[in-house]
Amino acid sequence: MPLGLRGKKKDKSRETSRLVEAEAAVAAGRGGEEDASGVAPTVAAPSPPAQVPIRLLFHAQLAHGSPTGRVEGFASVRELYAKIAKAFHIAPTEIMFCTLNTHKIDMDKLLGVQIGLEDFIFAHVKGVKKEVEVFKSEDSLGLTITDNGNGCAFIKRIKAGSLIDQIPVICVGDHIESINGKSVVGCRHYEVAKNLKDLEKGQTFTLKLIEPLKSFDMIEPRSKGGSFAEGKITRGKETLRLRSKGPATVEEMPSDIEEKAIKKVDDLLEMYMGIRDLELAATMVETGKGKNNPDEFAVALDEALGDFAFPDEFVFDVWGAIGDAMQGRF
């Protein structure tokens, strides 16, 4: 289905916004209406509702072993990492990713969209550095990339039988520090995935990686990343939802239908872009609510997530996946 209305609707929205802003400015210049006596009535401006900060307490440990720390008073992913780092007297950039309720490198337990109010946080910090030369004999490397929302992209999945699967030193959980000498620290997962995809076939490239620090009981054969967990994304009746932009909110856990839609969109992100990102998938599902057709959905995605520049084919498939989930076709 053509999505040609995206640009027109988006332009129209911007024009409407400018008109509203212009009218507001003119109204401000007039100073409001006057009564018959020529004296402008005094109208008290309504005060904005006070935002009560979320003060929830979570317990955390370093995954390779540490005493239990307490973290609270955070409202975003970056703030959470800063709080964990402060509790254990380390730099926030040392934290590669966090898992919930397990100290193992389990990609199905990654701290992502939401934290159950009773979840225990394990922070995985940087360990051994390694440098690997890879000959790109195939177009696809077999890697799925994600990031921690705080500037650290890492390997979430290695496809069985793929090119990277033949290189034992490259493991799930490894942070990709640089590609051919170019640092990708601070890049989002989709940027790192694109850099890897754009590497020329038939050439050798160099990866600098950092693996998570492991305790003795975690030294075991590397994981391929497994399949996506069939359980619920969260535990408990309420969860704390963290966002890379905007404050954290306490919400009811997603319905079964919403969970299915989020998982399907996450699958499409891996298929089209080589990334996994439950927060991004959940945002796309939320964006699709109340939209009547793929063009409306495309315009809303442009406004909310324009930096990604999603292709029309991907947007159409996401729209279909959300619709299928809501109609119970999964």
Side-chain angles (χ1 to χ4, degrees):
M1 181 180 291
L3 302 175
L5 297 180
R6 298 172 73 181
K8 294 180 181 179
K9 294 191 176 185
K10 188 172 182 180
D11 292 341
K12 182 178 179 181
S13 175
R14 289 176 177 171
E15 291 174 2
T16 303
S17 177
R18 286 196 292 268
L19 287 173
V20 171
E21 292 171 359
E23 290 174 0
V26 171
R30 289 198 301 261
E33 297 179 357
E34 297 183 353
D35 60 14
S37 64
V39 179
T42 301
V43 180
S47 58
Q51 292 187 348
V52 180
I54 298 172
R55 301 290 295 185
L56 299 174
L57 176 66
F58 292 87
H59 293 89
Q61 288 182 359
L62 299 180
H64 63 278
S66 76
T68 299
R70 294 152 56 101
V71 291
E72 61 179 326
F74 56 89
S76 67
V77 174
R78 290 184 181 273
E79 289 182 11
L80 170 59
Y81 276 72
K83 293 289 185 179
I84 294 174
K86 183 177 180 181
F88 295 105
H89 307 289
I90 60 176
T93 53
E94 287 298 302
I95 302 174
M96 297 173 59
F97 55 85
C98 295
T99 50
L100 298 177
N101 306 309
T102 180
H103 68 287
K104 295 185 177 181
I105 302 172
D106 186 342
M107 294 294 113
D108 292 332
K109 305 295 184 182
L110 279 179
L111 186 156
V113 181
Q114 296 176 332
I115 310 174
L117 299 188
E118 297 182 357
D119 282 344
F120 198 105
I121 303 171
F122 289 88
H124 299 254
V125 301
K126 294 178 180 178
V128 177
K129 292 191 175 187
K130 47 196 179 184
E131 185 171 317
V132 189
E133 288 191 348
V134 181
F135 179 73
K136 190 174 183 181
S137 59
E138 304 174 14
D139 289 323
S140 175
L141 296 174
L143 288 178
T144 298
I145 310 299
T146 191
D147 65 51
N148 66 359
N150 196 40
C152 178
F154 57 94
I155 299 171
K156 185 170 185 179
R157 189 184 305 242
I158 298 174
K159 185 178 180 181
S162 65
L163 174 61
I164 296 298
D165 192 31
Q166 311 306 314
I167 308 174
V169 72
I170 301 178
C171 301
V172 166
D174 285 355
H175 164 46
I176 301 176
E177 190 176 28
S178 71
I179 303 170
N180 278 340
K182 179 183 177 183
S183 174
V184 291
V185 175
C187 294
R188 291 303 313 274
H189 45 31
Y190 63 91
E191 296 172 310
V192 177
K194 186 177 186 303
N195 285 337
L196 291 170
K197 183 179 180 181
D198 290 345
L199 291 170
E200 188 176 348
K201 182 179 176 181
Q203 299 293 321
T204 298
F205 64 94
T206 302
L207 290 176
K208 284 188 177 180
L209 308 169
I210 304 177
E211 66 180 41
L213 187 60
K214 300 181 178 70
S215 60
F216 285 111
D217 66 323
M218 294 170 66
I219 299 175
E220 56 188 23
R222 69 172 184 169
S223 167
K224 298 295 192 301
S227 58
F228 196 84
E230 291 299 324
K232 294 186 180 298
I233 295 173
T234 58
R235 296 177 176 82
K237 294 182 179 180
E238 288 187 319
T239 61
L240 179 68
R241 177 163 183 181
L242 300 176
R243 295 176 171 84
S244 56
K245 297 180 180 179
T249 54
V250 176
E251 303 176 352
E252 292 293 323
M253 63 185 294
S255 67
D256 289 340
I257 291 176
E258 288 174 329
E259 277 195 354
K260 290 178 181 178
I262 290 169
K263 290 178 181 179
K264 184 60 179 178
V265 172
D266 198 39
D267 289 341
L268 289 171
L269 284 169
E270 181 178 30
M271 182 187 306
Y272 276 89
M273 302 179 67
I275 63 174
R276 284 275 183 183
D277 189 330
L278 282 174
E279 179 188 353
L280 178 58
T283 299
M284 297 181 80
V285 171
E286 285 186 359
T287 303
K289 292 179 180 179
K291 305 302 181 293
N292 298 313
N293 55 61
D295 281 327
E296 288 185 8
F297 178 55
V299 171
L301 276 186
D302 279 344
E303 293 173 349
L305 301 166
D307 291 344
F308 286 88
F310 297 120
D312 285 351
E313 182 182 1
F314 170 74
V315 173
F316 185 77
D317 283 351
V318 170
W319 170 257
I322 294 173
D324 287 343
M326 298 305 175
Q327 296 297 322
R329 288 194 284 267
F330 287 155

